[in-house]
Amino acid sequence: MPAAARPRASSPVTAGAQSAPLLAALRADSSPHALRPADPSFLANMVALVHETVDEQTPSSTLSKDRKDWSRWEEFLALFGSDPLRPTPTDDFTKQREGFLQAAFVVWVYPRLKPRRRTDLIAKPDSAHNCLTSVRRVHARRGVQLPTAPMVSRLLRALIKRYVREHGVRALLPRRKEPLQNEHVHSMLAVNEGTQLGAYNVAWNSHLFVCFVALVTGCRHIGGRKADLIAPSHEAGDISRFARGNVTYVIGGRLVIDPSPEQFRSMKDGDRVNARPGVSKADQLGTKYGDKDVPLPYRPDDPLNAAARMVALELALPVRGERRASTPFFTMNAELECLSHTVADSLFAKLAVHALGEDIAGTLSLHSGRIWKAVALHALDVDIGTIQACCNWASPESAKVYARLLPQRHADLIDKCNTVNVTATLTRNFERAGIAIDNDATIAALPQQTNRPKERLTPAAPPETAPRAPAR
């Protein structure tokens, strides 16, 4: 097992929970294909190694959610007096029974869920479906493939319709964060030195705050998620994350891999910081974006410039040589510990509330930096494919979610619509471009259906003998 791996304690939701039953079954196997190594411990070690490796790749946050939802599943199955670990169906009745159980669980667990936000009266129906997804994921991890349950989709649609009737359409809309605008960051950076923000005392030249500002500006200019830039957890020897070694510099037209403090101080307007992404949610092996540097222009006079803030962090907490490959980029103290999600989120929230007020702060998070870049690129009429590449999204659909049309741009377009003389010719051109208007595509297909070969149609009665509708 690699040195960086950290075996997780076995629990009902891990693949490791299946090690003992599988080992017992393998040892009891009397078939001609039974596994009978000369060293009995070899079989046990291999079973453990396989399951530990499977568990290693599962994020801690996923395991945490799975544990919570599995406990609900156990409580639900206890009501039926049945084993929570279900079998893989081998006949139609078993498929029917297991499909019913899944649908029943969704209906049972939904009223027991707490809403994610205090302002919501009840949880959204999708939350119940997410619980079932966890249960299915645990079974898959333990080698059991639960059958698909079409009834669950129908139940979910019914729950969603009921939710909309009772709470309105707006209650179902996703509450996405807003872009972190320039004005927001300027206001946060203007908080007075020495201001007490809960456990934090504002000290802009301290290691913590130099690191934090580099992260905030980096989220905006790199366009990365928080977890792309600072890992959720840190394993010894894990060099797949965004580290000092992921960043190189173009100084005076020359590429510098490991700059000295003197070289950092010599950087001028027009130099560049190249940030090579590590593994991320959209690129878990780093094969998609790992060879595509994000070129950050160095503008030392711009307080919002990510490149300048990252250079400041390099000078405050220098890391040289081979250590750059294994040292997280966003280190927050002399021990070179990575800024944690908890500290980053807490500090961002407290600064935002103090500088912007609770209402605006509630619409923002570190993810707002990534949204700002997408919205800004869209406002510059950049195409979706380029926005996807600039922000390292996995698909164009993800980019479209955040590449929002600015309200003023939309209002201006409405004004310009009033200046267009829309004629029938323009409408036909619109249709020829392949853009459907309402049900036009359906209407256009009707002649093709009515003009099918006559032999396939039932002959109609002659006009003179066709019965007439009764007079009304």
Side-chain angles (χ1 to χ4, degrees):
M1 195 166 171
R6 180 184 299 170
R8 286 167 170 155
S10 178
S11 78
V13 303
T14 63
Q18 201 62 19
S19 293
L22 176 61
L23 182 60
L26 291 174
R27 285 173 170 168
D29 184 9
S30 59
S31 73
H33 302 287
L35 306 177
R36 303 184 184 92
D39 180 3
S41 66
F42 178 73
L43 181 60
N45 291 338
M46 290 306 299
V47 168
L49 179 59
V50 167
H51 288 148
E52 286 172 3
T53 305
V54 170
D55 288 333
E56 180 192 340
Q57 60 84 37
T58 307
S60 299
S61 57
T62 300
L63 287 177
S64 177
K65 176 173 173 29
D66 288 352
R67 288 189 189 96
K68 184 181 298 183
D69 293 336
W70 185 257
S71 67
R72 295 182 174 118
W73 176 253
E74 288 179 320
E75 180 184 354
F76 174 67
L77 265 295
L79 298 174
F80 287 100
S82 190
D83 189 345
L85 185 63
R86 312 308 298 169
T88 298
T90 56
D91 56 74
D92 290 340
F93 170 72
T94 307
K95 290 180 182 177
Q96 185 177 8
R97 182 191 65 204
E98 299 307 316
F100 160 75
L101 264 182
Q102 293 177 67
F105 176 64
V106 170
V107 175
W108 177 84
V109 78
Y110 178 49
R112 291 165 171 78
L113 298 177
K114 294 181 180 180
R116 295 181 61 183
R117 290 181 171 85
R118 297 177 183 176
T119 54
D120 294 336
L121 297 177
I122 62 173
K124 294 182 180 180
D126 278 346
S127 298
H129 186 255
N130 291 339
C131 290
L132 177 60
T133 299
S134 292
V135 170
R136 292 180 62 86
R137 191 163 51 227
V138 171
H139 277 88
R141 204 177 291 135
R142 296 185 61 174
V144 177
Q145 190 64 47
L146 290 181
T148 57
M151 193 184 301
V152 171
S153 298
R154 299 186 183 96
L155 275 173
L156 191 61
R157 285 197 294 271
L159 290 174
I160 290 173
K161 286 184 177 180
R162 182 192 301 172
Y163 186 88
V164 171
R165 285 197 304 270
E166 295 176 357
H167 302 280
V169 174
R170 291 182 62 85
L172 203 59
L173 297 177
R175 298 179 185 177
R176 296 189 175 93
K177 294 299 183 180
E178 294 297 323
L180 183 61
Q181 302 171 31
N182 294 345
E183 295 76 10
H184 296 150
V185 185
H186 278 302
S187 296
M188 292 169 69
L189 296 182
V191 173
N192 291 333
E193 183 86 6
T195 301
Q196 195 68 34
L197 301 174
Y200 307 104
N201 184 276
V202 176
W204 293 113
N205 292 325
S206 68
H207 292 157
L208 172 61
F209 277 82
V210 170
C211 174
F212 174 76
V213 176
L215 175 67
V216 172
T217 54
C219 286
R220 281 165 45 97
H221 285 186
I222 296 174
R225 301 172 185 83
K226 172 181 62 180
D228 297 350
L229 301 180
I230 53 174
S233 60
H234 305 284
E235 308 258 347
D238 183 2
I239 60 173
S240 66
R241 295 290 181 171
F242 189 69
R244 293 292 178 95
N246 287 60
V247 182
T248 58
Y249 298 83
V250 177
I251 304 174
R254 294 178 56 196
L255 179 65
V256 184
I257 305 298
D258 182 13
S260 65
E262 292 73 21
Q263 288 174 307
F264 278 127
R265 294 189 184 96
S266 73
M267 291 184 68
K268 295 180 174 58
D269 193 290
D271 287 338
R272 195 168 69 238
V273 174
N274 295 327
R276 187 181 73 251
V279 295
S280 65
K281 179 181 178 181
D283 187 18
Q284 297 187 15
L285 298 178
T287 56
K288 187 172 184 179
Y289 295 111
D291 60 345
K292 298 175 178 64
D293 289 352
V294 180
L296 303 173
Y298 181 74
R299 310 295 181 201
D301 296 329
D302 179 5
L304 308 188
N305 183 256
R309 294 293 186 171
M310 291 168 71
V311 169
L313 179 58
E314 291 265 30
L315 286 168
L317 292 167
V319 179
R320 302 297 308 277
E322 295 181 356
R323 296 178 63 202
R324 292 184 66 81
S326 58
T327 302
F329 187 90
F330 294 98
T331 48
M332 63 177 180
N333 53 34
E335 290 72 35
L336 299 179
E337 293 178 319
C338 185
L339 182 64
S340 69
H341 283 204
T342 301
V343 172
D345 288 335
S346 175
L347 191 49
F348 181 91
K350 292 183 182 303
L351 267 174
V353 169
H354 184 88
L356 308 170
E358 290 189 2
D359 290 341
I360 294 178
T363 67
L364 302 173
S365 73
L366 285 168
H367 197 72
S368 297
R370 178 176 172 83
I371 300 171
W372 167 84
K373 185 176 181 180
V375 174
L377 289 169
H378 189 58
L380 294 171
D381 293 325
V382 174
D383 63 271
I384 291 296
T386 303
I387 294 174
Q388 177 190 351
C390 287
C391 297
N392 290 2
W393 265 297
S395 67
E397 289 70 27
S398 299
K400 289 176 183 177
V401 169
Y402 292 105
R404 304 169 189 172
L405 186 63
L406 292 174
Q408 187 57 53
R409 170 69 170 159
H410 194 174
D412 291 343
L413 289 173
I414 293 173
D415 280 338
K416 291 181 179 179
C417 286
N418 291 327
T419 68
V420 178
N421 181 24
V422 178
T423 65
T425 301
L426 285 176
T427 304
R428 284 194 293 272
N429 290 338
F430 196 66
E431 294 165 351
R432 280 197 292 270
I435 303 173
I437 304 176
D438 298 326
N439 293 321
D440 285 359
T442 304
I443 302 301
L446 289 178
Q448 299 175 7
Q449 299 179 20
T450 57
N451 292 331
R452 290 179 296 178
K454 293 182 178 180
E455 62 269 21
R456 296 184 183 178
L457 302 175
T458 303
E464 60 273 15
T465 61
R468 295 182 179 181
R472 294 187 179 182

